[in-house]
Amino acid sequence: MDIIESLLGEVDQAWRAHGVGSDDRRALAAELRLDLRAAAADGGDPTHLIGSDVAGFARRLADEAGVQRVGRDDGRVVGTALIGAVLGAVLGYGLLMAAYPAFVRMVDTPRSIRVPIQLAVVIYYGVPAAAVAAGAVIAVRTRLRDLPRIRRTAQMMSVLVPAAGIVITPITITFAWSTAYSTATPVVVAEIAMVLAALAGATVLARRLSLREGRDVSDTSRADATNVKPA
């Protein structure tokens, strides 16, 4: 059986490269192990069942089983979300700059009326943050229609991305305050990195949760089908 385990190790490496998740790899490996052992018990060579192209065999087996290529999907979803976020940030800052004169007049009130500087800072950072979140969700929803459960992913992003923004915004503001709201390049880069990291984390979480929901439904359907007994 050493040759079978060796083959399974090669196939597992191919599945990893193909982006198959750990749970799906274990399930596929268990089924493949039974097939290889059956072939060996019948006097056949297990290597003939897989063939010389191990990677191609692994990809076909995963695709036929309909498993989710979570790792690769994560990269595509995060990349698309970041592109959408950048476009949203550009649009948000453009709108903010266009409305800047009106904003100045709004906060330039008589001395008898004091507008908290925190409110101005929240508006200054909040408007672009909202545009970033909207750009990320819209980009994922419209550009990745070929991916499974992408609609559910976008729906979860619409909740998790703003939540991440709510968490990261005060952190970013505090960091900016600690630098006296410096516009130096290292400070600005650090602020952008904080926001993008929060966005990427929320996007990955949304994708994983949406795929987990799909897997749970699929597993339930399979269990129901298995439990059906002929009349």
Side-chain angles (χ1 to χ4, degrees):
M1 294 299 176
D2 290 341
I3 187 173
I4 291 179
E5 296 304 321
S6 176
L7 290 172
L8 287 172
E10 294 182 31
V11 173
D12 185 73
Q13 289 182 356
W15 281 331
R16 288 175 181 270
H18 195 47
V20 180
S22 58
D23 292 340
D24 289 324
R25 291 201 312 271
R26 283 192 292 268
L28 290 172
E31 295 179 4
L32 181 58
R33 182 178 286 105
L34 293 177
D35 292 339
L36 293 175
R37 287 178 177 175
D42 291 338
D45 186 352
T47 58
H48 291 167
L49 182 63
I50 295 179
S52 58
D53 185 7
V54 177
F57 172 84
R59 286 194 299 271
R60 288 193 301 272
L61 192 61
D63 292 341
E64 291 172 1
V67 301
Q68 307 292 344
R69 292 185 290 168
V70 177
R72 181 172 297 181
D73 286 354
D74 281 353
R76 288 185 62 189
V77 174
V78 171
T80 302
L82 291 179
I83 292 174
V86 171
L87 295 177
V90 172
L91 177 61
Y93 273 111
L95 293 175
L96 190 63
M97 292 300 100
Y100 185 76
F103 177 72
V104 171
R105 287 194 299 271
M106 181 182 68
V107 299
D108 189 16
T109 56
R111 293 185 179 181
S112 60
I113 302 175
R114 300 187 63 181
V115 177
I117 186 62
Q118 292 83 357
L119 176 61
V121 172
V122 167
I123 295 175
Y124 182 80
Y125 283 91
V127 171
V132 165
V137 174
I138 293 172
V140 168
R141 180 66 185 88
T142 58
R143 300 296 298 176
L144 300 177
R145 297 176 182 175
D146 59 306
L147 295 184
R149 298 189 65 79
I150 197 63
R151 178 180 298 178
R152 182 57 179 164
T153 300
Q155 291 173 347
M156 300 196 79
M157 284 179 62
S158 66
V159 175
L160 294 176
V161 170
I166 292 173
V167 173
I168 198 63
T169 297
I171 296 175
T172 306
I173 292 175
T174 301
F175 174 76
W177 172 81
S178 69
T179 63
Y181 301 105
S182 171
T183 57
T185 300
V187 174
V188 174
V189 169
E191 294 175 357
I192 293 174
M194 292 179 188
V195 174
L196 293 183
L199 171 64
T203 301
V204 170
L205 179 59
R207 184 60 181 163
R208 294 295 176 88
L209 290 176
S210 65
L211 291 179
R212 181 177 299 174
E213 285 183 358
R215 187 180 298 114
D216 291 342
V217 171
S218 178
D219 291 343
T220 302
S221 300
R222 291 174 186 171
D224 291 342
T226 303
N227 293 331
V228 173
K229 298 180 181 179

